[in-house]
Amino acid sequence: MTFVAKPEVHHPQLPLNEIGLNRRDYEGLVSTLCAGCGHDSVSAALIQACAELAIPPHRFAKLSGIGCSSKTPNYFLGNSHGFNAVHGRMPSVATGANLANRSLYCIGVSGDGDSASIGIGQFAHIVRRRINMLYIVDNNGTYGLTKGQFSATNDKGSTSKRGVPNLYEPIDLVSMALDIGAGFVARSFSGDKGQLVPLIKAGLMHRGFAFIDVISPCVAFNNHNGSTKSYEFTRSHAASVVAADFVSPHEEITADYGPGEREVVEMPDGSRLHLRKLEEDYDPHDRAGALTYLQQAALDGEVVTGLLYVDSDGTDCHEILDTVDTPLSVLGEAELCPGQAALDGINAGFR
Amino acid sequence: MRPLPVQFKMKVTDIGNPDYFHKVVDCQWGCPSHTPVPEYIRLIAQERYTEAYMVNWESNVFPGILGRTCDRPCEPVCRRVRTEEKPVAICRLKRVAADHKGDIRPYLPPVPKKKNGKRVALLGAGPASLAVARDLLPLGYEIDMFDRDPAGGGMMRSQIPAFRLPAEVLEEEVDLILDMGVNARFNYEISSMKEMLDMGYDAYFVGTGAPRGRDLDLPGRQESDAHISIGIDWLSSVAFGHIDSISGKVIVMGGGNTAMDCCRTSKRIGAESVTVVVRSAFHVMKASDWEKEEAMDENIPIVNNRPPKEFVHDNGKLKGVVFECVKPVEDENGRLNYVPTGEPDVYMECDHILMAIGQENHCPWIERDVGIEFDKWDCPVLDEVTFQTTHPKVFFGGDSAFGPENIIWASAHAHQAAISIHLMCQGKDVRRDRPPEGINLISQRMGVHEWSYDAEHDPAKRFIVPHANLSKALQNIKVEVELGFDRALGLKEAQRCLNCDIQTVFTDNLCIECDACVDICPMDCITFTDNGEETDLRSRLTAPAENLAQDLYVSGELGTGRVMVKDEDVCLHCGLCAERCPTAAWDMQKSVIHVPQLGTYPE
């Protein structure tokens, strides 16, 4: 926990984005998490991604549940909307927020406890409903706030700080999200901003439910030798299968690719995703193949990272429900409550 | 990935080299005497004025005087200029320490009654000689000081007017040294070096300054001699009470601090009008910015780009000066050349001219056959480290060494010359046996989130020093114009210091590469990346490191094969990297730079 406040002064050459803000304008309050927590790096990656996208901070809605991860929305995007929900119930609130105002960019930040234990029911259903949002799980495999019990994503055989092994099979949220219809699924590592920042940008621009499972080590309780969610283990076992470079609509392509080395995925807002295959056998558009690959890699003790699945023609809940284009929040009372006659008409339709 | 060949990598930074962290403390590095500025500013913040004064006194010898008159080489290099805008008012804080100090006597070095048998002659009683005396007296040397003036202080007394440096401030610091046991021989006109050498001293220190003011040989100069004075001589006459008025219209020629002192003095002792005329452009004038500003605040016009052509007189009565009109043109090397504008010459009426166009070190009294070599510019040939002349017993320092500089240079020279004199008198080699520089690093961690220094960054703007009422100040030459910070303002200004001597020290084998320091650093100073050669590395840091004058701190190789690179340029020394580091790989450590000086190294 830091008691010295972060000074407001910034690097004299800190660049401004297209709307005249610098990266520091996207920060929040100073973090009260433990020093070295991976979650702070995830917040920093979010700050960088949002600043680079040049979206005004007040166009974001941050949503979270309970846990170390769920404290983090306080530490980024200080000038945006936010709601800190009940444990595991962030998906309901996010669904409501997105239905009410589809023009906001929704960022949900949850943890392995919040999403894979108490909130697993809600998690499953928000994936199914394809709410248009970026859902990040800061996954450290431990209950840090209650001092280091194994969480549901902790690998079997991985040990506690005192050397006691975990006896239960882990829940892999990536496989689950793939299985039940997420249109954008990625895994990354808090210690690799080069990979995480473009994924966040792409996830925010993806239409539909975008899920990023971020291995985010808990320095206090799960960063020891027996852990499979430590900085060292993740660095030495992470294998990126598909690299995604995010290119905003007005940005020139500066990366130098050889022929056939990349695939361009057009995003709804005109931005492009450049996918580079780092693993020959991996196809980021093959849902079933991805699932098999992930399961095999898990058996081999490999942590597969990168953009694992993207559905270029993804749909979202509003499309499925065929709602009006105008956000419900700005419709007048007359449109929202068309009166007894309209209700009678609807009721008549059911007779 | 295959490791990079050595030639494409930056070397691991050697923080054991005293210069590395010394350079990070820009003010201390920039100060010729290397005064530990942040250290005394912290003491001021703790209201320990006496200690703050002594930190200064030890290093620069004249804190009260310098706190009013220093040229402040520390301020333009202050990190605050790069992180925000205006430097910390370092010089005025020095004055705060001097103005509010208590009894310093308990802190003064004892001077032994029993002398060591060595006698040293100091020629001149200015800052350089006084500082040499101060360094040598505690070691038992017998010191004889010779000066033509009736009192000690040299140019500090004769050329700095009382409205900038009150007599009591000057006398206090001069007397402090004289009272340590100097045998002062004032009113002693030194006319022959041979004669001095015959007196059989073990060592001689020449600190006679740069006492010859330059003159201009233009038409009419000789004829109007009665109305033209050399600036420094005139200021000296005012200081010693030989002149107490000037009348009519006065033109001051020159753009240095002497010119500023001449014009402001004239205005105070009766000039009807005063104008400063400078041959060069305003921005290249030698005077300190604040001296120019204060002259202008006193409504003294400064006319630039006007080289004089002729002194106009009527039978020896000065009437005015004809000036040419030129403009500065920058050549391809960035040097200014002055070309005529084509405008007609300008005639300015005046009754008196003060010539302040520079001064020279000049030693006509040193015979050229006593073993002291002079170069083609008639300057003594000196060893730049030892200040020894070609005569092994004769040393130079202050303005007489390399020409006119500020007082702070005199004390810097004096420390080195005193070391040389001491080594020579002890039969040691003045070059080889010099004490080395050193550095101590001391952790400032007091607890989990506690540092022994005030790490928090204060965004306050530079505070303005209050001035005396202008009309009152202009009536009396003895009224000091700057009033100095009072305690409250001094405390506020002290908070602006970034504590650049509290260093960010990185221990590579403790780092787990969690990025916490990168994320928290408000100035984007820290990067974890693959090593490379310097130009390449500078271009791919979190924020590009474009200030080549500031070093990169490069760690040894980390677990991932990367290195930590920190750009020292705009680090706030806020300690957040150390605060957020889970493994204490970052620590905030105070660097204490040991600048060799007599008395700081036990014999």
Side-chain angles (χ1 to χ4, degrees), chain A residues 139-180:
Chain A
N139 185 355
N140 57 17
T142 193
Y143 296 151
L145 269 191
T146 52
K147 310 218 162 157
Q149 299 81 1
F150 296 125
S151 83
T153 61
N154 196 292
D155 290 313
K156 190 177 176 188
S158 165
T159 70
S160 71
K161 214 172 171 179
R162 293 193 169 177
V164 182
N166 176 25
L167 305 174
Y168 304 104
E169 290 293 336
I171 290 173
D172 179 18
L173 292 172
V174 162
S175 302
M176 196 167 155
L178 272 172
D179 198 29
I180 49 184

Side-chain angles (χ1 to χ4, degrees), chain B residues 197-356:
Chain B
L197 290 169
D198 286 344
M199 290 159 95
Y201 285 96
D202 294 289
Y204 296 83
F205 176 81
V206 181
T208 47
R212 189 170 73 170
R214 289 210 185 102
D215 204 344
L216 265 185
D217 191 18
L218 291 175
R221 170 69 185 88
Q222 295 310 323
E223 294 83 342
S224 25
D225 188 56
H227 308 280
I228 300 178
S229 309
I230 298 297
I232 53 170
D233 298 340
W234 183 79
L235 284 174
S236 174
S237 300
V238 174
F240 287 108
H242 307 318
I243 290 178
D244 56 9
S245 69
I246 192 166
S247 56
K249 300 188 177 82
V250 175
I251 286 182
V252 176
M253 286 188 188
N257 284 341
T258 304
M260 299 303 116
D261 286 338
C262 283
C263 68
R264 296 174 71 194
T265 301
S266 302
K267 185 122 188 174
R268 283 166 171 76
I269 60 171
E272 182 192 311
S273 75
V274 187
T275 309
V276 177
V277 186
V278 193
R279 64 163 54 234
S280 57
F282 186 79
H283 71 281
V284 293
M285 284 168 64
K286 288 234 170 65
S288 315
D289 288 342
W290 52 93
E291 300 289 343
K292 292 194 266 188
E293 276 162 25
E294 291 190 354
M296 291 185 295
D297 287 349
E298 292 174 5
N299 298 318
I300 298 171
I302 298 179
V303 182
N304 291 87
N305 304 316
R306 297 283 180 272
K309 276 177 97 169
E310 186 190 345
F311 299 106
V312 179
H313 65 97
D314 180 9
N315 275 328
K317 168 75 185 84
L318 181 69
K319 290 303 210 187
V321 188
V322 177
F323 293 96
E324 197 188 345
C325 295
V326 295
K327 61 178 178 193
V329 178
E330 208 172 299
D331 67 16
E332 64 268 28
N333 301 321
R335 284 219 338 230
L336 289 185
N337 293 315
Y338 291 88
V339 295
T341 59
E343 293 163 77
D345 291 345
V346 179
Y347 172 70
M348 291 173 82
E349 270 183 36
C350 70
D351 302 300
H352 204 113
I353 291 172
L354 299 175
M355 201 83 81

Side-chain angles (χ1 to χ4, degrees), chain A:
Chain A
M1 204 191 277
T2 297
F3 291 102
V4 178
K6 186 165 178 173
E8 280 179 21
V9 52
H10 57 71
H11 195 284
Q13 269 112 50
L14 192 61
L16 298 178
N17 63 16
E18 286 88 15
I19 56 166
L21 300 178
N22 67 44
R23 193 182 71 239
R24 297 290 302 279
D25 295 322
Y26 288 79
E27 288 182 346
L29 299 179
V30 75
S31 168
T32 59
L33 296 171
C34 306
C37 181
H39 300 2
D40 284 333
S41 286
V42 180
S43 299
L46 275 160
I47 288 164
Q48 192 185 330
C50 295
E52 286 175 7
L53 286 173
I55 298 168
H58 70 278
R59 299 313 302 154
F60 289 95
K62 309 172 294 186
L63 303 132
S64 68
I66 295 293
C68 297
S69 60
S70 299
K71 290 171 73 176
T72 66
N74 215 14
Y75 314 142
F76 62 86
L77 291 172
N79 293 308
S80 63
H81 308 277
F83 197 96
N84 197 193
V86 184
H87 205 356
R89 271 62 183 166
M90 178 266 275
S92 317
V93 180
T95 306
N98 179 256
L99 283 177
N101 188 351
R102 62 185 299 174
S103 72
L104 292 179
Y105 292 89
C106 269
I107 302 175
V109 182
S110 183
D112 37 325
D114 198 54
S115 282
S117 291
I118 191 169
I120 195 161
Q122 295 235 336
F123 174 73
H125 290 285
I126 196 167
V127 178
R128 280 183 64 239
R129 284 184 180 139
R130 302 196 178 190
I131 299 300
N132 185 14
M133 73 181 296
L134 169 66
Y135 194 111
I136 290 179
V137 167
D138 290 346
N139 185 355
N140 57 17
T142 193
Y143 296 151
L145 269 191
T146 52
K147 310 218 162 157
Q149 299 81 1
F150 296 125
S151 83
T153 61
N154 196 292
D155 290 313
K156 190 177 176 188
S158 165
T159 70
S160 71
K161 214 172 171 179
R162 293 193 169 177
V164 182
N166 176 25
L167 305 174
Y168 304 104
E169 290 293 336
I171 290 173
D172 179 18
L173 292 172
V174 162
S175 302
M176 196 167 155
L178 272 172
D179 198 29
I180 49 184
F184 179 106
V185 181
R187 183 184 281 131
S188 190
F189 170 42
S190 68
D192 185 359
K193 285 202 195 68
Q195 181 188 54
L196 181 55
V197 171
L199 286 175
I200 290 174
K201 284 155 85 175
L204 277 166
M205 289 303 139
H206 173 80
R207 184 167 58 213
F209 188 78
F211 177 68
I212 309 177
D213 177 41
V214 187
I215 311 291
S216 172
C218 172
V219 185
F221 298 106
N222 204 14
N223 193 40
H224 44 269
N225 279 341
S227 163
T228 56
K229 297 264 189 294
S230 66
Y231 282 106
E232 210 181 325
F233 184 93
T234 311
R235 281 213 174 88
S236 53
H237 292 76
S240 179
V241 288
V242 179
D245 301 316
F246 181 84
V247 185
S248 64
H250 36 266
E251 207 177 324
E252 299 252 343
I253 300 159
T254 50
D256 193 16
Y257 302 107
E261 275 179 13
R262 68 186 166 101
E263 179 205 341
V264 181
V265 178
E266 299 285 341
M267 307 290 278
D269 68 326
S271 53
R272 289 145 292 167
L273 256 188
H274 290 204
L275 303 184
R276 280 178 296 131
K277 276 191 181 187
L278 302 175
E279 180 58 58
E280 204 50 46
D281 306 335
Y282 196 88
D283 177 5
H285 305 297
D286 174 7
R287 198 186 286 271
L291 275 168
T292 318
Y293 189 95
L294 283 169
Q295 279 175 1
Q296 186 55 49
L299 288 177
D300 299 342
E302 215 174 57
V303 183
V304 181
T305 65
L307 182 53
L308 305 175
Y309 177 76
V310 60
D311 176 3
S312 336
D313 312 314
T315 56
D316 82 318
C317 190
H318 282 280
E319 213 174 312
I320 296 166
L321 295 179
D322 195 20
T323 59
V324 287
D325 289 343
T326 317
L328 303 185
S329 59
V330 296
L331 290 177
E333 202 179 337
E335 289 91 357
L336 288 169
C337 301
Q340 191 59 45
L343 180 62
D344 289 345
I346 291 167
N347 284 340
F350 292 119
R351 291 211 171 87

Side-chain angles (χ1 to χ4, degrees), chain B residues 32-35 55-62 127-128 130-136 205 385-387 396-398 408-422 434-435 595-600:
Chain B
S33 285
H34 303 306
T35 300
V55 165
N56 273 288
W57 188 78
E58 236 179 81
S59 162
N60 55 48
V61 195
F62 308 104
L130 287 165
V132 171
R134 198 225 39 194
D135 280 5
L136 289 175
F205 176 81
V385 177
T386 65
F387 292 84
F396 271 65
I408 189 73
W409 283 96
S411 32
H413 293 174
H415 293 319
Q416 295 309 318
I419 291 173
S420 304
I421 291 170
H422 179 59
R434 298 186 90 72
V595 180
Q597 200 174 306
L598 288 185
T600 53

Side-chain angles (χ1 to χ4, degrees), chain B residues 380-494:
Chain B
V381 176
L382 292 183
D383 182 316
E384 282 182 18
V385 177
T386 65
F387 292 84
Q388 195 174 35
T389 62
T390 50
H391 188 300
K393 286 190 173 178
V394 181
F395 300 83
F396 271 65
D399 287 359
S400 63
F402 304 116
E405 275 289 359
N406 197 262
I407 303 166
I408 189 73
W409 283 96
S411 32
H413 293 174
H415 293 319
Q416 295 309 318
I419 291 173
S420 304
I421 291 170
H422 179 59
L423 290 171
M424 204 261 301
C425 288
Q426 306 302 313
K428 291 180 180 157
D429 189 301
V430 292
R431 233 174 195 282
R432 210 179 46 236
D433 295 331
R434 298 186 90 72
E437 284 200 8
I439 180 170
N440 272 9
L441 290 169
I442 308 150
S443 178
Q444 301 299 296
R445 194 182 278 280
M446 304 280 283
V448 181
H449 299 289
E450 254 183 292
W451 300 101
S452 73
Y453 73 109
D454 198 347
E456 206 153 334
H457 174 263
D458 184 342
K461 292 232 159 63
R462 181 172 164 127
F463 292 90
I464 292 168
V465 181
H467 280 204
N469 175 290
L470 182 60
S471 59
K472 271 190 193 150
L474 288 178
Q475 277 161 23
N476 184 346
I477 194 163
K478 294 201 168 142
V479 171
E480 191 175 14
V481 174
E482 273 200 20
L483 301 178
F485 288 132
D486 58 16
R487 282 170 185 248
L489 269 179
L491 290 177
K492 283 188 182 169
E493 184 63 32

